[in-house]
Amino acid sequence: MNDTNNEVKIIAYDPQYKNAFKALNEEWIKSFFTMEAGDYKLLDNPEEHIINKGGHIVFALLNNKPVGTCALVKISDRPLRFELSKMAVSPEAQGKKIGYLVGQSLIEKARESGAKNIFLETNSILVPAIRLYEKLGFKHMPVSDSAYERCDTQMLLEFNI
């Protein structure tokens, strides 16, 4: 993609963007909620808790600057299941379909890996995010155990294997 035309480029995790992963997520979480222990665990050590355990992180670059990110956290091997987690888009880049692009990129990664499904946790006040997840194919499911106090909505995307 040609960055000079203000196009977004989706790239896989690179350690040079570790701080951006945390900063982008901290920015949105703190604007709606309070950072929790689970947030710090993943954001402070993404390689240890996501990448090295078979997960993935992608970034959206706009003019070579990270403006969005999302993670695919491996939950289990058999069956292969993932959690879509830590999606964040900088306020300056909202409205450019970045959330959709990073989400779609990770859904394809999970599908190619042979995953059974992907689930996610969110909060009902995040209406635009929930609409995005529905557009990506996620369906609402009953809420069960969550590591996050702010979670009151869970969604699931099943793959037809």
Side-chain angles (χ1 to χ4, degrees):
M1 290 187 167
N2 185 347
D3 288 344
T4 59
N5 288 336
N6 221 19
E7 289 187 38
V8 176
K9 181 179 179 183
I10 306 299
I11 63 161
Y13 180 81
D14 186 294
Q16 70 176 313
Y17 298 119
K18 178 182 175 181
N19 291 337
F21 181 65
K22 182 174 182 177
L24 286 163
N25 272 283
E26 235 177 357
E27 181 179 29
W28 88 259
I29 292 169
K30 287 181 176 179
S31 65
F32 291 98
F33 308 104
T34 302
M35 292 282 288
E36 298 181 40
D39 296 313
Y40 288 112
K41 176 183 168 185
L42 293 180
L43 298 175
D44 288 340
N45 302 293
E47 291 159 355
E48 178 185 349
H49 295 291
I50 301 170
I51 302 295
N52 296 346
K53 292 186 175 181
H56 307 277
I57 299 172
V58 295
F59 290 93
L61 302 182
L62 183 61
N63 299 320
N64 294 316
K65 178 183 176 198
V67 295
T69 189
C70 192
L72 195 62
V73 180
K74 184 157 67 163
I75 302 302
S76 67
D77 281 312
R78 292 196 175 111
L80 182 57
R81 299 182 67 233
F82 290 99
E83 176 184 4
L84 191 71
S85 181
K86 303 299 176 231
M87 181 184 286
V89 177
S90 172
E92 72 197 52
Q94 290 177 355
K96 296 184 184 298
K97 302 191 184 317
I98 289 171
Y100 183 83
L101 293 171
V102 295
Q104 189 62 44
S105 170
L106 289 173
I107 289 169
E108 285 309 310
K109 180 67 86 175
R111 187 186 321 268
E112 291 167 6
S113 299
K116 178 180 180 181
N117 59 41
I118 305 173
F119 89 101
L120 63 82
E121 298 182 320
T122 188
N123 186 285
S124 56
I125 67 166
L126 302 174
V127 175
I130 291 171
R131 280 197 205 113
L132 168 65
Y133 300 138
E134 290 169 344
K135 187 176 178 182
L136 287 167
F138 286 85
K139 307 283 185 220
H140 292 266
M141 61 184 274
V143 177
S144 60
D145 296 335
S146 174
Y148 296 97
E149 285 185 35
R150 65 180 175 262
C151 173
D152 69 0
T153 303
Q154 292 179 330
M155 301 176 79
L156 186 69
L157 174 63
E158 298 263 18
F159 293 117
N160 297 325
I161 302 171

